[in-house]
Amino acid sequence: MFIETEGTPNPATLKFLPGREVMGDRGTADFANADTAARSPLAARIFALPGVARVFLGSDFVTVTEDGENGWLGLRAQVLSAIMDHFVAGLPVLEGAGEDGEDDFDPADAEVVEQIKELLDTRVRPAVAGDGGDIVFRGFREGVVKLHLQGACSGCPSSRATLKHGVENMLKHYVPEVVAVEQVDA
């Protein structure tokens, strides 16, 4: 098994491409620490390595954020080995059902929310996935879109600028009801 590694805009995060489906069409899974990774044997295996701060599972990739203590020098090879061992063993990526957050919006805004989600799915999420992350709609109230950043985007130095200047401007252009975009945790 050959696993490619790519850098991301977040210097603390690397993107690992195992050449096979990770989450596929089941969405994404973001684990902010080892305690949240109980339902993922893959994430738990990666968190068992010293120096891992966050694990994100995408359709065909895994992004791992190091804790800033030792850098990627020794950790990169250990993560590669953990991912390879997991897939060679034929273990599941996730066990049980996911915990999807509820979208917070007024039912009267359902049409606007659908427009926002469509723009996010077609124009934003593919680009963000290319950088090893994801962006998830969490709500729309009084013109403010609430988005949750995952994977490499979480904690990335440029994520707030991208969110405000890129995503906010695009949404305001196509959906006049949008007045602002805010980042939320989960």
Side-chain angles (χ1 to χ4, degrees):
M1 173 179 223
F2 177 73
I3 302 173
E4 290 183 64
T5 306
E6 295 179 357
T8 71
N10 184 345
T13 303
L14 286 179
K15 181 178 176 182
F16 297 86
L17 297 132
R20 65 186 307 162
E21 184 176 275
V22 176
M23 291 290 290
D25 59 2
R26 295 176 292 174
T28 61
D30 190 29
F31 303 100
N33 55 55
D35 295 337
T36 63
R39 68 186 185 106
S40 173
L42 175 57
R45 183 183 295 246
I46 295 169
F47 271 117
L49 304 171
V52 172
R54 183 179 211 107
V55 176
F56 176 77
L57 308 175
S59 61
D60 63 348
F61 64 91
V62 177
T63 58
V64 179
T65 304
E66 56 94 10
D67 65 8
E69 298 289 318
N70 301 310
W72 281 107
L73 188 59
L75 184 57
R76 181 179 176 271
Q78 292 176 325
V79 172
L80 285 166
S81 179
I83 293 171
M84 185 177 303
D85 291 348
H86 176 85
F87 283 113
V88 168
L91 297 170
V93 173
L94 285 180
E95 295 173 334
E99 306 126 18
D100 256 354
E102 289 253 340
D103 293 345
D104 174 33
F105 65 91
D106 184 333
D109 292 328
E111 190 174 315
V112 172
V113 167
E114 283 308 309
Q115 291 175 349
I116 293 167
K117 287 182 175 182
E118 176 72 19
L119 286 166
L120 292 172
D121 287 345
T122 59
R123 295 180 180 244
V124 179
R125 292 182 77 202
V128 172
D131 286 338
D134 197 10
I135 190 164
V136 180
F137 176 86
R138 286 293 181 233
F140 178 73
R141 293 273 179 189
E142 298 176 8
V144 178
V145 178
K146 296 183 187 217
L147 301 173
H148 176 61
L149 299 174
Q150 299 178 325
C153 299
S154 180
C156 177
S158 62
S159 66
R160 291 213 187 264
T162 300
L163 197 61
K164 279 297 193 189
H165 301 294
V167 177
E168 182 176 277
N169 287 342
M170 189 233 1
L171 288 176
K172 285 172 145 181
H173 176 77
Y174 288 105
V175 185
E177 294 85 352
V178 172
V179 297
V181 171
E182 290 181 1
Q183 180 175 338
V184 296
D185 295 326

